[in-house]
Amino acid sequence: MQLLTWSLSLVPSSAESTQFLRRAASTPALDEPKQKGNKGSSANSHLGTYNPSSPAARSNSTLSSTMTATTATTANYLNAKLNGLHLNIPNSPNGSTLDLRRAGNFRRTYSSNSIKKRSIEVTPSSFVKIRLLGKGDVGRVYLVRQKDTERLYAMKVLSKKEMIKRNKIKRAFAEQEILATSNHPFIVTLFHSFQSEDYLYLCMEYCMGGEFFRALQTRPGKCLKEDDAKFYAAEVIAALEYLHLMGFIYRDLKPENILLHQTGHIMLTDFDLSKQSLPAGDPTVVMNAIPSMPPAIDTKACIAGLRTNSFVGTEEYIAPEVIKGTGHTSAVDWWTLGILMYEMLFGVTPFKGNDRNQTFDAVLHRDIPFPEHAGSQTTSALCKDVIRKLLIKDEQFRLGSGAGASDVKSHAFFKTTNWALLRHLTPPIVPAQSFGADAINFRKMQESMSLDMDHEELVLQQPGTKNLFANFSSVTLHHDGDDDM
Ligand SMILES: Nc1ncnc2c1ncn2[C@@H]1O[C@H](COP(=O)(O)OP(=O)(O)OP(=O)(O)O)[C@@H](O)[C@H]1O
């Protein structure tokens, strides 16, 4: 009875509740009505085994120059923020991001000043739609080809009418802002954003491997071996660390929002539930929990001032403090990491009940049920320990709530993780190259079935005008190194 009382007062109305049925649907803020129905899905998870002679392998080796990119991105950003503090990049072959530029196979620079914003260089008619990749509640994501360059992109097309109806305008702006300012190997890259009379467009890097969620579904028992789960968890931690440094709380981590790049590395997407701390605080340096390690960065400090109260997230991933409605911080991202790690290992989330009330009750009160029946995945004590610490119900005591990502990275479970070289490792799942190539090889056939966007005229809104979408930035983003690709 008590449960019913709080759940009715804290969660969206029953009309909105149906969206919880599909795990992929995200919980809207209370002030945002959400459409009933399923989120579309991607069908492009062509997963294959790693073949050293395949283009995937070659592509991996050409990425050698970005091997320190994870660290380099963070380091460059910090260099700007910490005003001259010298950062030692452990395990970097030469310890310098500058040398990345000199490396022969250089492709893309991940540094704070390597994105150049220019006025928009494309229009909707610069692209041809090839196929639908996925659906959200206010838009669709298409695989598109740019007519003059032949390059493939994922184009998110958001309906202005739907955004107005569902009060989602601010969220689209937030997503554009985060994508346009982020420059990280594990965060999807934005190349253009623009609008027509009826739609907003976000032209992003196409992640050929599709949703990590789909990839998990194809694994035996829908789960991964502990070392493989550790690999993906490490890449997610690197992405969250970067987002927190930038002053963003992600708030919607789940396998559906993790895409697989053609190399098999992860790319976080879907930032419409993210929250930005304005201005982002400065990071500080803390002593490393492991005495032999160099001092670590306190990413918590960057968003320490940000406490928000919206009811957002995805039912099985939602943190206790979000359910309680007492306000939440960046610690929600560490909670969701704990749920993700559990799901990667056991194929289910730990607190799933028969309905929303049961799930929320379990999130608030139940211990983590590590399966111990015969045939269940065996997990090390350290792995269980890190999950337990990430899933501490009181956010103040949760792993990550002290100094942010540094706390999580220094947990003994990640002792074997080489953070600086993550991007250089071969991921456990590498998508077969087929679709990217197919899309080009069978272009003519597909074009006959495809829609082009010629009827949509580019509209350049003047900021400050009364138009609701006037402040949506129409820009083309150039990333150092992309022209060499
Ligand atoms: N860059 C990309 N490459 C390949 N597929 C993508 C890409 N971006 C999105 N997709 C596909 O489209 C789906 C919907 O994308 P996304 O989650 O960003 O849309 P959304 O409208 O924000 O959804 P939501 O309603 O959950 O907020 C994804 O789950 C994925 O399958």
Side-chain angles (χ1 to χ4, degrees), residues 59-193:
S59 163
N60 246 0
S61 61
T62 59
L63 285 169
S64 59
S65 57
T66 59
M67 62 195 156
T68 55
T70 318
T71 309
T73 307
T74 307
N76 280 307
Y77 182 74
L78 281 165
N79 278 339
K81 282 206 123 187
L82 291 174
N83 199 14
L85 174 75
H86 176 71
L87 281 172
N88 176 24
I89 305 174
N91 304 316
S92 160
N94 42 38
S96 160
T97 55
L98 262 185
D99 289 309
L100 295 177
R101 288 173 167 277
R102 291 188 207 119
N105 293 322
F106 175 73
R107 283 185 73 185
R108 163 97 182 264
T109 307
Y110 293 100
S111 77
S112 54
N113 58 359
S114 68
I115 310 181
K116 292 179 183 58
K117 277 193 192 185
R118 308 233 177 104
S119 42
I120 189 69
E121 294 171 4
V122 292
T123 72
S125 61
S126 309
F127 301 90
V128 181
K129 282 180 196 163
I130 294 177
R131 71 184 184 98
L132 184 68
L133 294 172
K135 271 191 216 167
D137 58 345
V138 295
R140 287 162 183 244
V141 180
Y142 296 95
L143 174 65
V144 299
R145 184 178 56 79
Q146 191 170 344
K147 288 175 190 167
D148 56 349
T149 63
E150 300 271 315
R151 284 189 185 164
L152 298 175
Y153 295 99
M155 181 80 85
K156 190 161 177 171
V157 184
L158 301 163
S159 156
K160 290 183 177 177
K161 216 186 279 173
E162 291 300 318
M163 276 186 278
I164 294 170
K165 202 157 94 190
R166 294 175 216 289
N167 196 11
K168 284 213 147 190
I169 301 173
K170 271 196 195 155
R171 299 207 172 266
F173 282 27
E175 178 158 38
Q176 194 277 346
E177 167 77 17
I178 293 172
L179 287 172
T181 46
S182 297
N183 188 20
H184 193 274
F186 303 144
I187 293 175
V188 81
T189 306
L190 181 74
F191 291 98
H192 311 278
S193 62

Side-chain angles (χ1 to χ4, degrees), residues 6-23:
W6 63 249
S7 66
L8 283 176
S9 60
L10 292 173
V11 300
S13 69
S14 59
E16 293 153 12
S17 68
T18 41
Q19 55 92 17
F20 284 112
L21 293 174
R22 162 74 165 124
R23 215 276 307 277

Side-chain angles (χ1 to χ4, degrees), residues 39 42 133-134 136-137 141 154 156 188 204-207 211 256 259 270 272:
K39 176 176 171 167
S42 114
L133 294 172
D137 58 345
V141 180
K156 190 161 177 171
V188 81
M204 301 171 285
E205 176 160 11
Y206 169 49
C207 297
E211 291 176 13
E256 293 85 339
L259 301 177
D270 202 357
D272 61 352

